[in-house]
Amino acid sequence: MSLQGKTAVVTGAGRGLGRVEALELARLGANVVVNDFGQPGRDGSGEASAAPAEQVAAEIREAGGRATAHVGDVADTEQARELVTAAVDTYGSLDILVNNAGILRDRMVFSMSEEEWDSVIRVHLRGHFNTTHFAAAHWRAASREAGGPVYGRIVNTSSESFLAGSAGQPNYAAAKGGIVGLTTSTAAALTKYGVTVNAICPRARTRMTEDVFQGFEVPKEGLDPLAPEHVAPLVGYLASPAAARVNGQVLVVHGGMVALLERPRVAAQFDAEGETFTHEELDRRLTPYFAERPEKENFAAAEVLALRKGA
């Protein structure tokens, strides 16, 4: 599980999930480039405060680790390039990429504005693509120079929302579904270079999700089942040499539980009697099938929301 001597980039790491993931990778020995879009601001007393990325990097350094901050927008192509370059220039390599940066703009599809749609797709999906693109190019070149596989790990952040058909999050669900597609495609493309690519679906109480989980009580004793700290160990594992055979997978994680999701399977197949279907034949074949199928049973897998430790 040691990441000694390896270098990790964690996006959206100024707070919440990204922060605890960066701290965990540093605890395991990695050099960490902490990325966040947040700018310097003012604290509660009005004093100037460092950018969130720099605060986390300082926290890692104070604990004896090695970390540097990168303040930038991963959805911007050049800033994403600078982020990957910063890791290589500062520490001599890039071994781990954790894509975590994201935003929420929740609204029903009939009320959603174009900006609310575009901004969420941009930060989540384009942001994942940008950093993956430059990291993949780096590893491909390194593998060619080495004449064989190199060490590379990508951990992407998807969500149960893409599975459950979250009614008030069409932009977020679409972006997170796209991230799974990006994950499986990239896993297939990079495996020959020694790179693994996996996606996690974390459930955690953070600043971004405080409205989503406001009805879930924080326990008076013990660790909150929605604490981001439940997610960090899985990220550390997927980034480690121990996870060399874990590739192209999607895992749900929260509250002391990890669930491996099954790939979609074919439920039924209908073959045309002739060369192609007619409308009448489709009606004759499909309509009775769906008449007997439970009305709410569709491609959405809302049952993942019921996953709990020990259940």
Side-chain angles (χ1 to χ4, degrees), residues 4-225:
Q4 201 67 42
K6 293 183 168 48
T7 298
V9 165
V10 184
T11 73
R15 300 178 179 88
L17 274 173
R19 173 183 167 274
V20 297
E21 290 165 351
L23 293 174
E24 176 70 1
L25 295 175
R27 187 188 70 79
L28 293 171
N31 311 311
V32 184
V33 179
V34 180
N35 160 267
D36 197 88
F37 185 58
Q39 302 291 331
R42 302 262 171 201
D43 62 21
S45 64
E47 294 292 318
S49 62
E54 182 51 57
Q55 292 177 32
V56 176
E59 191 175 352
I60 290 171
R61 292 192 295 266
E62 286 165 11
R66 299 180 70 196
T68 187
H70 175 272
V71 178
D73 176 9
V74 292
D76 179 279
T77 302
E78 285 310 308
Q79 292 181 56
R81 185 200 304 271
E82 290 167 8
L83 173 59
V84 171
T85 301
V88 178
D89 289 351
T90 305
Y91 299 109
S93 69
L94 171 65
D95 306 286
I96 300 154
L97 169 63
V98 179
N99 284 312
N100 170 74
I103 61 172
L104 286 178
R105 298 290 185 270
D106 292 352
R107 204 172 298 278
M108 301 295 282
V109 69
F110 42 77
S111 303
M112 182 165 288
S113 70
E114 184 177 353
E115 189 279 330
E116 288 167 336
W117 172 269
D118 288 347
S119 61
V120 168
I121 297 296
R122 178 183 180 276
V123 176
H124 287 274
L125 191 50
R126 183 184 173 93
H128 271 63
F129 163 74
N130 279 346
T131 52
T132 296
H133 168 75
F134 293 114
H138 167 76
W139 285 318
R140 180 172 178 257
S143 176
R144 288 183 167 181
E145 186 177 337
V150 294
Y151 190 97
R153 300 284 188 269
I154 299 178
V155 181
N156 289 330
T157 305
S158 183
S159 168
E160 296 161 291
S161 293
F162 96 93
L163 287 165
S166 182
Q169 297 182 306
N171 47 4
Y172 184 71
K176 292 307 191 181
I179 286 167
V180 170
L182 175 65
T183 298
T184 55
S185 174
T186 308
L190 299 188
T191 184
K192 64 182 177 181
Y193 302 120
V195 179
T196 66
V197 190
N198 296 286
I200 62 170
C201 297
R203 193 185 302 176
R205 198 192 307 272
T206 66
R207 190 178 69 159
M208 189 180 86
T209 63
E210 60 187 356
D211 291 338
V212 177
F213 294 123
Q214 61 184 191
F216 292 75
E217 240 180 79
V218 180
K220 293 178 180 167
E221 295 182 7
L223 188 62
D224 181 1

